[in-house]
Amino acid sequence: MERPGGNKQILDKLDVERERGITVKAQTCTMIYNYQGDDYLLHLVDTPGHVDFRAEVSRSYASCGGAIILVDASQGVQAQTVANFYLAFSQGLQLVPVVNKVDLPSADAPRALEQMQSTFELDPAKAVLVSAKTGLNVEAVLPNVIQQVPHPVGDIKKPLRMLLVDSWYSNFKGVILLVRIFDGQIMAGDHVTSFATGLKYFVGEVGIMYPDQTAQRILRAGQVGYIHFNPGMKKSQEAKVGDTYTHVGREREVEALPGFEEPKPMVFVAAFPVDQANYSHLEDSINQIVLNDRSVTLQKESSEALGAGWRLGFLGTLHCSVFEDRLRQEHGANIIITPPTVPFKVIWNDGKETVIRNPAEFPDNEVSQQRVAELQEPYVTATITLPEEYLGRVIELCESNRGEQQGLQFFTATQVILRYNIPLAHLVDDFFGKLKSATKGYASLDYEEAEWRRSNVVKLQLLVNKVPVDAVARVVHTSQVERLGRQWVKKFKEHVDRQMFEVIIQAAAGRRIVARETIKPFRKDVLQKLHASDVSRRRKLLEAQKEGRKKLKAIGNIAIDQKAFQAFLAK
């Protein structure tokens, strides 16, 4: 599909997707394809590959009957491929193997086919070898899809049974739903009800994504399309993904479809406007993005150092980074974002459990000793695929991040699948970046939640003249306290201005000071006027200066500039 001067990446609708070359939001389109004289209506979905957007993938699978499993001829099977294969296999999808980038000098298609056979038990004879860049053999993909993927089953005479797959917000039409019709049919004017909320709506328009919204008279069983209501659905919270809809009055005749598990946020950051005057603009910008990304959790927060802001919960570090880019690109927002933190669980003596998402709420040591029975942190199971030559380095990296090896498997002579249980706190601390640099970019990483485990964690705080700076508190494992503490005080010292009195910067874990730096005060030369005076006179002047400094230090409040926090929190 070509439009002069248009966007060639039709399904990459966000600037951040086109810029980074990744898919963040699953996009759908419908096309009519003529094969051997018959017209076929095909529903295609472009899903993200990254683990942070796993929920998008599982939702998309529910609207499909098959999946194209795409493997890079030069890289071979990667961790995401393995994870998404098992997800598709568990949902009973028919898989069509395709090997891409066969035109590259480093391409090794036979190796990729061998990996697909040994890892997924897919028949290499059914695989299609293509190059999307040069267009080589691309025309063979859709005929293979039609031959291998079964057509959808459904009865248009039965009562309407419709699954809500996705939704997005339009300023003019309200919430627009992407649905798959399993049984029955739907048209404008129908009166439908939701199984999850019990709310009733009148359908305003139905249609298909062709590739943009194209209105149709009717949608029948087996089709995937969009619908919006009249009057429109105003709140995106009413559109619960995985919900079943049917016609009003037919609820007892229809069995609800199994829904989806709502993704839980795993990474939390605090966001503050650089200038507090922009608070309301930033609040509007965040709310607009959250309308179309319900997996972000939002909670107001305030900090003495940085003012009013929000605590945001994300599915992973890439999700957080994409959200930050969208705020800056689409809304021109200037924000300070704190380093990502993960939730911790506190089990009290009376048996109650509390999940703490904000380091400021973490119980201090005095409270811990009396009321806390146990502290736990979340672990994840990480699957890493890598070339065998980098195995030593990657094991070293995992072990240094408190990882525990769960399995090691050679799935070809040169490729290894490594499984480790790693604390989530280490994973969000740029583990993927370190992994890429250790393997020259050849490793791939996928992870899933494992369990909560008992852990020895403490709250690390930064003190400036014995006053805690709340914006940079973090909960860390005791093995990291001293290294991080030294790093913090050294970095913070670089960004704080000299004062007329001494400034002491300390890192404290509970009551224990683990690192300290001192910024010397500006000093007037009080002995300048004395030439050949007595030593006692000199001493007297120096003592008077010392007393003045003590007094100034006692009453002087250090004002730390916003720029100091920005520079300190920047990576």
Side-chain angles (χ1 to χ4, degrees), residues 15-35:
D15 290 341
V16 69
E17 291 182 314
R18 291 195 285 273
E19 196 178 275
R20 293 186 179 212
I22 59 171
T23 305
V24 169
K25 186 105 180 88
Q27 298 291 350
T28 64
C29 85
T30 301
M31 67 180 284
I32 295 166
Y33 183 75
N34 189 287
Y35 175 63

Side-chain angles (χ1 to χ4, degrees), residues 329-555:
Q329 288 171 2
E330 296 171 25
H331 301 274
N334 281 332
I335 50 173
I336 299 173
I337 285 200
T338 61
T341 60
V342 301
F344 290 88
K345 192 184 274 184
V346 179
I347 298 173
W348 306 96
N349 287 335
D350 59 6
K352 285 183 184 169
E353 294 183 0
T354 312
V355 175
I356 288 174
R357 296 181 170 87
N358 186 343
E361 295 165 8
F362 192 82
D364 287 314
N365 263 3
E366 294 157 29
V367 181
S368 301
Q369 286 155 6
Q370 296 151 16
R371 291 180 49 220
V372 175
E374 193 176 301
L375 295 168
Q376 294 185 344
E377 67 173 327
Y379 269 67
V380 292
T381 301
T383 305
I384 304 165
T385 59
L386 66 146
E388 180 256 348
E389 64 200 88
Y390 302 113
L391 186 59
R393 285 189 210 171
V394 173
I395 288 178
E396 205 176 296
L397 175 70
C398 294
E399 297 286 342
S400 67
N401 282 283
R402 292 167 45 225
E404 294 171 7
Q405 192 172 318
Q406 299 298 305
L408 191 159
Q409 174 193 350
F410 280 80
F411 67 102
T412 65
T414 55
Q415 285 287 107
V416 184
I417 295 183
L418 199 55
R419 282 192 180 79
Y420 261 89
N421 275 359
I422 293 178
L424 181 59
H426 285 272
L427 197 82
V428 301
D429 189 18
D430 198 29
F431 180 81
F432 191 48
K434 293 171 193 165
L435 179 67
K436 284 284 185 192
S437 57
T439 60
K440 298 183 182 169
Y442 281 110
S444 61
L445 170 75
D446 188 89
Y447 63 87
E448 59 191 41
E449 283 180 78
E451 59 187 343
W452 290 91
R453 285 200 199 173
R454 185 175 189 152
S455 185
N456 196 358
V457 289
V458 290
K459 180 158 109 179
L460 185 64
Q461 284 183 300
L462 195 69
L463 311 178
V464 177
N465 280 356
K466 299 186 180 173
V467 178
V469 180
D470 58 349
V472 287
R474 245 172 100 184
V475 178
V476 295
H477 191 264
T478 45
S479 63
Q480 285 181 289
V481 163
E482 290 185 12
R483 180 185 62 81
L484 256 178
R486 279 196 293 272
Q487 212 172 297
W488 277 14
V489 293
K490 199 173 176 185
K491 192 174 177 185
F492 203 67
K493 183 185 177 182
E494 292 167 17
H495 304 298
V496 176
D497 297 329
R498 269 178 89 182
Q499 309 287 327
M500 292 303 292
F501 50 89
E502 187 178 60
V503 177
I504 298 165
I505 299 166
Q506 296 165 311
R511 287 186 166 186
R512 188 166 70 94
I513 303 295
V514 292
R516 168 182 166 144
E517 287 279 347
T518 307
I519 300 173
K520 296 287 180 207
F522 290 117
R523 186 166 174 268
K524 184 184 172 187
D525 188 0
V526 289
L527 307 180
Q528 192 182 5
K529 295 178 282 187
L530 303 180
H531 298 294
S533 62
D534 180 59
V535 70
S536 59
R537 171 85 179 127
R538 287 167 181 263
R539 200 172 289 139
K540 188 180 173 187
L541 283 170
L542 287 170
E543 287 296 326
Q545 185 185 36
K546 207 176 189 180
E547 285 302 313
R549 292 243 171 267
K550 269 187 195 169
K551 195 174 174 187
L552 189 60
K553 188 176 173 183
I555 59 165

Side-chain angles (χ1 to χ4, degrees), residues 241-314:
V241 170
D243 189 5
T244 307
Y245 285 75
T246 189
H247 286 127
V248 172
R250 309 292 295 267
E251 296 94 313
R252 291 192 179 172
E253 301 170 47
V254 173
E255 192 185 333
L257 292 153
F260 309 110
E261 199 181 325
E262 277 294 313
K264 292 191 282 293
M266 312 227 330
V267 171
F268 295 85
V269 300
F272 301 92
V274 169
D275 181 357
Q276 280 294 318
N278 298 333
Y279 179 86
S280 54
H281 167 67
L282 185 57
E283 184 170 35
D284 291 345
S285 306
I286 289 175
N287 285 334
Q288 260 181 304
I289 299 182
V290 170
L291 274 177
N292 287 328
D293 189 353
R294 288 191 310 279
S295 49
V296 178
T297 60
L298 190 62
Q299 195 180 332
K300 289 193 174 177
E301 185 175 291
S302 68
S303 151
E304 284 177 29
L306 297 170
W310 301 267
R311 181 148 290 269
L312 303 165
F314 297 101

Side-chain angles (χ1 to χ4, degrees), residues 26-98:
Q27 298 291 350
T28 64
C29 85
T30 301
M31 67 180 284
I32 295 166
Y33 183 75
N34 189 287
Y35 175 63
Q36 294 180 350
D38 292 323
D39 279 339
Y40 289 86
L41 185 71
L42 302 179
H43 164 66
L44 309 173
V45 189
D46 177 23
T47 63
H50 197 277
V51 58
D52 284 9
F53 307 109
R54 176 73 50 76
E56 293 278 331
V57 182
S58 64
R59 286 208 301 263
S60 306
Y61 286 167
S63 69
C64 298
I68 295 173
I69 188 156
L70 197 65
V71 172
D72 185 323
S74 59
Q75 300 261 16
V77 170
Q78 294 188 296
Q80 296 97 300
T81 325
V82 177
N84 290 335
F85 164 79
Y86 286 119
L87 204 57
F89 188 73
S90 67
Q91 296 203 17
L93 266 61
Q94 183 65 43
L95 295 160
V96 180
V98 175

Side-chain angles (χ1 to χ4, degrees), residues 189-192 200-205 228-231:
D190 284 1
H191 197 196
V192 297
K200 298 176 175 63
Y201 307 92
F202 285 100
V203 178
E205 180 181 300
H228 65 78
F229 302 122
N230 186 14

Side-chain angles (χ1 to χ4, degrees), residues 106-147:
S106 58
D108 188 351
R111 184 194 65 168
L113 290 170
E114 184 200 328
Q115 286 179 359
M116 283 171 122
Q117 189 178 15
S118 62
T119 316
F120 308 137
E121 297 179 0
L122 294 175
D123 184 0
K126 290 185 177 177
V128 188
L129 305 181
V130 301
S131 164
K133 187 178 175 184
T134 62
L136 173 73
N137 210 21
V138 170
E139 70 282 351
V141 174
L142 289 180
N144 265 281
V145 168
I146 290 168
Q147 286 164 15

